[in-house]
């Protein structure tokens, strides 16, 4: 009995998630003896962005008899630019339109949002923390796309591994709330984690952020890599002034090298300001995970070698010198 | 070798998509001998909405020794209202925080957006066409959530079935482009589909919408159930004036009963206007599929029976008479 | 018995359209023995623009014993700049103030608006189609002023002739509606018009614009000079995307040289965008015909050689080196 | 040799101001033997307003063999409401489309603007002073339309007479500037005008308005009907405070019954405020004369009894119970 | 040698702070033998407000031979309403115009701002803390005016006494910074202040506000009257959420009766929100002290019994039934 | 018995205007034996501005055993920049915090506003006329601060003298209203004032400004230095057009050298426009007197040599190389 609503790989590859009307289409074309019509289809978007998810598209079409031209994973595209071109018999790939477009739409949006944040970081670190905002089935898709976009690491275990990285994150409030004291958790963390693991301690669970940061620094001394500020909106969120104050107090207490990691409600403009204030690392969740999909469209542009298009489009192939033939 | 980046059910249930820091948390708590601490956690959102995805949460926790109180699937919630409460040993469910929140966040957003559209329909039909805008792994999750929100049907095969419905959709442009003529496809559709299948023909692929609608009506006569208008933005999109003109011309041609289905760039305000102009059915994609997740938060509110909360929250349980004990 | 409310030339020259208070003024001045007072009057506007209508002013004063300095027809002026100066006995011209200012106000506005459109055309053709938006008595005044402003031609027969041009326009919807088919009319046009007359066919009366354009091109072949797009607002109006699609489809059908003429709701910004999209000719109506008059003021600035002005103005003549003595 | 660019009545009735393309239309239809096609045409606007100019339309069609249904002069209409319907052979009236629409467009705009001002007057008097802002040929058309809209009188001699009224106005600045003193002109005015003529003196040419008003009142005593305030924008224009002060000073000087007439830059909102401040009469020019034409459209809706329409419109007659058959 | 720039009482009463031009005026009028002209002068404002400072005006004119009518201290006035009327020989009071208007302008603004805040308090307490934002010479004037406006108390010693109240305030950050610990200061406060003095402790100098509030409550127990929240903008200021959290934590710790006093950047809208969140007392500084003066004007309205006014005003007395004769 | 509410110098220096809580602070610190704690306090603002009032601060602390570093009177500062630093035993100066900050807050705002106006004057003269908008006790403080900011002179007698200038102003409306005629007053002024006193006559009390200006110029001839325009808002205020017209009429009347002084509702943007129109002198009142205080904050930054700060600030001294040691 089904535990989760998400589709499994075999279901997807079998076409169970496709729009019913592509099934209808095949039945009608069969009826008209047109199922094997040779077509060229092109995929484009109406907004600019960074492309992600292409390997999934290639995998879906791996065993189909089609030719494919494509932009590269991580390449940027403009509105109406041809992103992928598929040539072959319509029945080879037609019913996968829904699936193919779906693989590109969200991933490209996530990669594009991560790119925006990474540029705002101005050289500082960007970590993706957004897995909790999307269905677990696509948490790894999202975090992998964020890494394509330029994030330095991701916290979702599977997502990081898909990109060939070790997942990265630090201890959340739950641990502190259960332990009842920040320094106690810092101690346990230091005792139980490998020495190579950077000690980053979340310090806004109980006490004033600067006070707790100094307490933890005094306890861990040089072993403290950084502290994480996650001040909630009820308390004003993390402001440049707060960052400057915490750094100043750590400095005055003799700990100038403690790094500052910030998370919570971050978006590019805020990242820019906090980077200037001295933050070293940004954990972004919602700005990436909630990025509106870059809706993709697949149009048939050639039928039996003849240029064609539906009303509103330009008939025939829209050339794009950046395309590389992948199949 | 992995074909798709999405997580399979077993991976999710095993915790592979969780944030790495919940694994850390467990290790640290074990080290402190606090892993079995009895806690109460509460889930809430910062925006109002309609809840969806709860059964997935129950399934994930099905074999865990916890008590669960929850709002019902499809119930509405206010900002900061307790949506789900979980009580038990932290190690029973703690590492599933990411997964649980993720199951609720997107589904609730999709259900809420569908609800908005359904209300705008003012009694007319709402179909969800958005599968192509999300990763195929969550296309069924999205369309099921849309059905929870009030959509009358969905086009994603698996999505519709998860709600106990037959998927619904009509022939897309591809069929017409390959066939080369709208009436030819209408003929094939009529010949090959079961008689009980309503004949709905997309009529804006080649010709002026009104002209094509009358051509198809003249061909199919009474067998024509409805025509679909999907005028692209390059041609002005579907306007109330266009709908009125098409209906008037069909009427004058002797076909007053042909239903009007509209798709393409629809959102609540536009749906309201078109419903007034006489549209019978709305196919909505992007407004639902692109709905920004309603980010959910899980807070620990009690530790060993003692009211507690991180800075910024109110300590202890936030009561909600609407909650029902489900486990 | 009077058929129309507009004033005939003899009525105007006789002063029947003047404000009654200028008649009063003369009676009072006569009573005070001041009717022959030598005055200098100056005309200016509060907004910048292009001057038109001066010859009418000169004609009205042709038989009056006055001296006149004036800017030239088609010359631009700034706010408060002296446009015309009249010197003479007040009774020679005083009662014509209303008429003189009226000749300049609308014509200058129409010329200025046409100039704006012509600049937006960026080298393409501008035709004035606005006669239907003003009283027939001034349709020729308006279209002549548009030609002064830079329009390449006008459709009002008398208006064009006043500027020494042949009127220009193409067949309107009425012909097509009566004939019932666009190609039929194209055929009749080609058969009945002189060969030197460019064949321009309106193609949005019945069918999809691109479809109809290709039909007409296929029928007339090389004899087709251009097609006119006049898509109504109910169907999205004429967009750059529509223009590009029509050109592309004509090109693909083997008719790359067919010119594109556009009309309907045009204004400078839209003209700029459509010129970039490849339009060759613009038919502008309402933007020119509806231009708000550039209200002109006539002030007496010298009385018997003494500098004078009413409150709010600077006494005496406001010099302007651009003025040329015309009488 | 032509003195003015405006068209004479015979030129208009002969069709010289029509768009050239209606001539083309007739030639083509003749060629196709369709000139005598029986059609029904309907006129409508896209904005709401008050109708004016219908008698000119009737006069133009007086000797044509057509049936006409029409709203009444001065009746209000909504967007897309049928204003006039003409039925007959196309060649009877087709080429007058430009002329007919032109007769209605500006006049309806002028009447509508005058109506707005009259309502803002809240029972006070409205005079139309706008003749100087339009070509003299249409000054009477404009002022007559303003009277239709509710103005109480107009200053253009011919315009007022066309509505059956005596023109109305008061002495302008020119008389005062030539005489050199306001009271001197008041004296001459009183000596030379019929006793029944209300003495209204413009008092802002030379001195402070209140000072001059009292001077004139002291001179004319009970014979003074009213004073006119026309303060230019360089001096702040006419404000409610100025009106109250002038009335108060006249009152204190023993002249409480002197009426206040205001002119210069008036528009509905300003009229409302000034009416509240005690103004008795408003002279409006530019707000009426510069009203943007209410562009009218004439569509063929029936050809040989068959409902028809160009793309974007509803085929067939759009019924309107307010229409009255006039021919 | 002068220590401060402010004027002493004797200097003010002697006229040293008056505008030099009133001295000139007296010299000129003496020269013209008009110094003893009997005049009536009226004072009004252009904005609405609450009147304060009248007693100072009466005191300044106490030994002058004039009659005075006035609104009462604390009474509200509308724009242009007569606030004070003075009748007498011009030389009796003329040179005090500057001083009289100055006494009313700021005080009325401060009283009006305090009134706004008090209404926003919705029954809660309002304390004025603004002395530090104005020159010490007028700190008592400002705080007295705030009390007139409805403040419940003020912190400036002299200001409170002028209204017959004991000044009110609580310990500022300086004491805590010097002592180094909040509870240590609370202890000293409790030991050294009279028992009747409510113990209100500022708790945001060092630690998290809620943490410190509970620490202090645990130390003082029932002796703690209230805590003061003054969170700086660098830390998000005082938000309704912070107030609710502090109250909840105090409640959970067994101290539900501790009152909440808030200060820092308060203004009416913020006061309304915080009052709803449970705040008991508001300390307002800048919103009251920085209120823009309600500029007052004194016009001569009668000279030797004759109604008169400068241009722009209405001649003669503007009656006001609310005026009471005070001298 | 007290005549005025303002504080006398001895009261201020004795601390009667301080906030009661600084008295409390001393009592508590005494109790804790911490009254003689050595501290360093720093003063800063949150907005940029020009500093004024420092000498009063120095005078207040003249007999206290403290060290003081300070910016100079008239020097500009940025937000958060250290303006003054005080080092010493807390009981030497602690209770004067309110007084010290108050001396700086308003004066700096007034100086800053005057600076803005002076820059807008673009080389023309700036006079401060604002004494009537503040309590007489601080009228000299305000006008002295305006002079620091760059005003060329002030009208408050004491204020001007505090800066070492003779006060400057011209005859107000009162004199003219009592005399009944502008020229009569000009005559008296000329007869009674020293020859070295520039004759500046206010000319908008009774008549049209230009008319009166010429009347006065014709009477005083070369002895007229300038005329003052103070047109009230009820009459449109002083506009650039009015200034140009008055200058032109004076010029035409043979008085091109008469200077133009303007007052009434002036602010920087208006000053800039009027300076361009030819005004020579600007009398500003409300823009300067009503400037919102630049609220100053005093923080303790060192206690017994140890860097310290309250939450929200950076611990320790904030260095500023512009500071000069004054004590
Ligand atoms: Zn095949
Ligand atoms: Zn957090
Ligand atoms: Zn356990
Ligand atoms: Zn479509
Ligand atoms: Zn003459
Ligand atoms: Zn058209
Ligand atoms: Zn005929
Ligand atoms: Zn005027
Ligand atoms: Zn006296
Ligand atoms: Zn504070
Ligand atoms: Zn000491
Ligand atoms: Zn004045």
């Amino acid at each position: 009995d089904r535990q989760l609503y998400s589709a499994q790989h075999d279901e997807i590859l079998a076409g169970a998630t496709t729009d019913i009307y592509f099934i209808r289409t095949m039945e009608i074309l069969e009826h008209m003896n047109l199922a094997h019509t040779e077509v060229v289809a092109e995929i484009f978007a109406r907004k600019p962005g960074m492309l992600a998810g292409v390997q999934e598209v290639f995998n879906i079409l791996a065993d189909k008899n089609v030719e494919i031209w494509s932009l590269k994973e991580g390449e940027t595209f403009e509105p109406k630019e041809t992103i992928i071109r598929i040539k072959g018999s319509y029945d080879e790939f037609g019913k996968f339109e829904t699936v193919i477009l779906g693989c590109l739409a969200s991933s490209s949006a996530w990669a594009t949002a991560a790119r925006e944040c990474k540029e705002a970081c101005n050289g500082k670190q960007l970590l993706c923390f957004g897995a909790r905002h999307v269905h677990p089935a696509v948490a790894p898709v999202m975090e992998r796309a964020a890494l394509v976009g330029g994030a330095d690491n991701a916290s979702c275990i599977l997502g990081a591994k898909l990109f060939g990285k070790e997942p990265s994150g630090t201890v959340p409030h739950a641990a502190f709330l259960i332990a009842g004291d920040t320094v106690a958790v810092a101690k346990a963390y230091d005792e139980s984690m490998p020495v190579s693991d950077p000690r980053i301690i979340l310090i806004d669970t109980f006490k004033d952020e600067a006070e707790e940061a100094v307490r933890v620094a005094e306890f861990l001394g040089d072993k403290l890599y950084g502290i994480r500020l996650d001040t909630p909106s009820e308390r004003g969120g993390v402001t440049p002034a707060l960052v400057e104050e915490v750094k100043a107090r750590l400095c005055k207490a003799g700990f100038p090298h403690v790094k500052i990691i910030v998370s919570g409600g971050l978006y590019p403009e805020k990242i820019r300001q906090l980077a200037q204030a001295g933050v070293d690392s940004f954990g972004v969740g919602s700005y990436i995970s909630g990025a509106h999909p870059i809706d993709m469209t697949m149009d048939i542009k050639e039928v039996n070698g003849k240029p064609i298009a539906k009303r509103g489009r330009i008939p025939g192939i829209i050339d794009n010198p950046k395309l590389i033939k992948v199949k």
Side-chain angles (χ1 to χ4, degrees), chain A residues 304-326:
Chain A
N304 288 323
K306 175 174 158 211
I308 198 168
K310 74 182 200 79
R311 278 173 78 234
R313 312 281 201 250
I314 308 294
I317 280 165
I318 307 289
D319 198 35
N320 183 1
K322 289 157 62 183
L323 290 170
I324 291 172
K325 194 169 201 291
V326 297

Side-chain angles (χ1 to χ4, degrees), chain A residues 26-100:
Chain A
M26 288 317 307
E27 293 166 13
I28 289 168
L29 290 175
E30 289 281 349
H31 182 80
M32 298 173 84
N33 231 9
L34 293 173
H36 305 296
T37 305
E38 188 88 354
V39 302
V40 176
E42 292 188 330
I43 296 175
F44 67 92
R46 286 200 140 78
K47 298 182 340 192
M50 171 185 277
L51 187 61
V54 291
Q55 191 56 49
E56 287 184 303
V57 174
F58 302 157
N59 293 346
I60 286 163
L61 299 175
D63 62 335
K64 310 288 185 277
N65 182 20
V66 292
E67 294 177 85
I68 305 177
W69 296 258
S70 176
L71 294 182
K72 296 201 296 271
E73 182 87 351
E75 200 162 5
T76 55
F77 54 84
E78 289 298 309
K80 297 236 166 164
E81 179 178 348
T82 306
I83 292 172
I84 289 180
R85 183 181 302 129
I86 305 171
K87 176 171 178 171
S89 180
Y90 185 71
D91 63 332
E92 285 292 305
F93 70 96
K95 78 180 197 204
F96 288 104
E97 180 176 322
T98 312
V99 170
I100 287 171

Side-chain angles (χ1 to χ4, degrees), chain A residues 69 141 165 222 239 245 318:
Chain A
W69 296 258
V141 185
K165 290 216 162 195
D222 285 340
T239 63
E245 186 189 345
I318 307 289

Side-chain angles (χ1 to χ4, degrees), chain A residues 1-8 11:
Chain A
D1 205 7
R2 200 180 193 95
Q3 298 277 73
L4 298 164
Y5 301 132
S6 48
Q8 302 273 64
E11 291 174 314

